[in-house]
Amino acid sequence: MKIVLASDHAGVALKKEISEFLTSLGHEVNDLGPFNSDAVDLSDYVYPASLEVAKKNADRGIFIDGVGYGSAMIANRILGVDAVVCQDPFCAKLARQHTDSNVLCLGGKIIGSAIALDIVDVWMKTEFLNQEKYIRRVNKVKEISKRHLRSIDEI
């Protein structure tokens, strides 16, 4: 899979570990930065990475900031992006199985690298439960997004 990574300064170190882990699993990784711990604005990196997912230039995205919520807020404003914040592998599994999420957001200040790599591993390997109830629920959320967000083609 093609995976796009982005972070702010709080997520740089963890992002590097995740990039190396994903590469070792055979994924193609595109890290959009930043590449050092100098203070930056999260949206300068997560927004372009979210566009890569929405435009289908990347299959999935993984974004890291202090707690993960800032990344998710930015990413979920883009039609075609379904971002989740996960703090443990169980949530990562359900986020894929039940919501078919395509962006994972992590908190570099609240989880260590060992659990983060477990979360990434589970999230990457878990498939969407292609069952009627989950399909129906995901489609309802997509309809809400279509009503209130502009298509990436309109930007």
Side-chain angles (χ1 to χ4, degrees):
M1 275 191 234
K2 292 181 181 178
I3 312 300
V4 64
L5 301 180
S7 70
D8 65 2
H9 49 282
V12 169
L14 183 56
K15 180 171 53 99
K16 184 174 190 274
E17 288 185 59
I18 290 170
S19 177
E20 291 169 358
F21 176 68
L22 291 169
T23 301
S24 77
L25 296 176
H27 297 290
E28 181 182 326
V29 175
N30 181 13
D31 184 346
L32 297 187
F35 302 102
N36 62 52
S37 59
D38 295 344
V40 298
D41 295 333
L42 180 62
S43 57
D44 292 343
Y45 298 91
V46 168
Y47 175 60
S50 298
L51 292 175
E52 289 297 296
V53 175
K55 292 176 182 177
K56 302 203 183 306
N57 294 332
D59 300 303
R60 294 188 191 171
I62 300 177
F63 308 154
I64 305 104
D65 61 58
V67 295
Y69 296 115
S71 292
M73 286 174 47
I74 296 163
N76 281 322
R77 284 171 167 67
I78 308 297
L79 186 65
V81 174
D82 296 301
V84 294
V85 178
C86 295
Q87 297 171 348
D88 61 65
F90 178 73
C91 291
K93 182 177 180 178
L94 292 183
R96 284 289 307 135
Q97 287 181 330
H98 294 195
T99 70
D100 201 19
S101 58
N102 58 6
V103 169
L104 173 64
C105 301
L106 300 170
K109 289 184 177 180
I110 59 172
I111 59 173
S113 64
I115 193 151
L117 295 177
D118 284 345
I119 292 166
V120 169
D121 190 44
V122 168
W123 187 77
M124 290 297 299
K125 292 178 178 174
T126 302
E127 295 296 326
F128 176 58
L129 289 175
N130 203 15
Q131 299 171 6
E132 188 276 328
K133 69 180 178 180
Y134 299 115
I135 294 168
R136 180 183 70 245
R137 293 169 185 168
V138 166
N139 285 339
K140 285 182 178 183
V141 173
K142 288 181 190 234
E143 285 303 314
I144 292 168
S145 294
K146 286 179 186 175
R147 272 188 253 144
H148 299 283
L149 299 174
R150 291 188 316 184
S151 166
I152 196 74
D153 298 328
E154 297 175 40
I155 296 175

